[in-house]
């Protein structure tokens, strides 16, 4: 894919030095290092937004609540009537 868009970021000289050093360790350019780091963060943020995180206690309470039937008087009345259709 051809890269045609540009994003500029201002950083301190210390941050720039750290980015350049880390990029050298990874044998890549500072631009590619920053681009890859940002994309990885994007994927983490998107994955986190697609999931509901809760503690084990909250999950157990949720599952337990699903086992408790709701009061459904209309449904009970509907099942109390004789069936209009017979399955063959």
């Amino acid at each position: 894919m051809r890269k045609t868009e540009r994003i500029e970021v201002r950083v301190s000289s210390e941050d720039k030095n750290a980015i350049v050093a880390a990029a050298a360790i990874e044998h890549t350019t500072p631009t590619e290092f920053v681009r890859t780091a940002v994309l990885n963060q994007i994927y983490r943020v998107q994955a986190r937004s697609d999931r509901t995180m809760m503690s084990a206690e909250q999950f157990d309470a949720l599952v337990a609540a699903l086992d408790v039937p709701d009061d459904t008087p209309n449904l009970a009345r509907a099942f109390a009537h004789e069936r209009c259709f017979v399955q063959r």
Side-chain angles (χ1 to χ4, degrees):
M1 179 182 327
R2 195 163 159 237
K3 300 171 192 163
T4 60
E5 299 300 315
R6 182 179 181 93
I7 297 175
E8 293 186 28
V9 178
R10 294 197 181 274
V11 296
S12 67
S13 60
E14 293 84 11
D15 288 346
K16 182 179 179 185
N17 292 337
I19 291 167
V20 170
I25 292 169
E26 293 288 319
H27 305 290
T28 189
T29 64
T31 298
E32 186 60 23
F33 183 84
V34 170
R35 190 183 76 80
T36 302
V38 168
L39 289 175
N40 287 336
Q41 182 64 16
I42 288 168
Y43 301 142
R44 281 194 292 276
V45 168
Q46 288 173 337
R48 202 173 53 232
S49 73
D50 292 342
R51 292 177 180 84
T52 301
M53 304 299 283
M54 63 179 70
S55 67
E57 294 80 19
Q58 287 175 311
F59 180 77
D60 291 343
L62 172 66
V63 171
L66 293 174
D67 290 336
V68 177
D70 291 338
D71 216 9
T72 53
N74 292 340
L75 186 59
R77 277 195 299 281
F79 274 102
H81 294 298
E82 189 175 321
R83 292 175 66 180
C84 298
F85 302 99
V86 177
Q87 184 178 2
R88 296 181 192 192

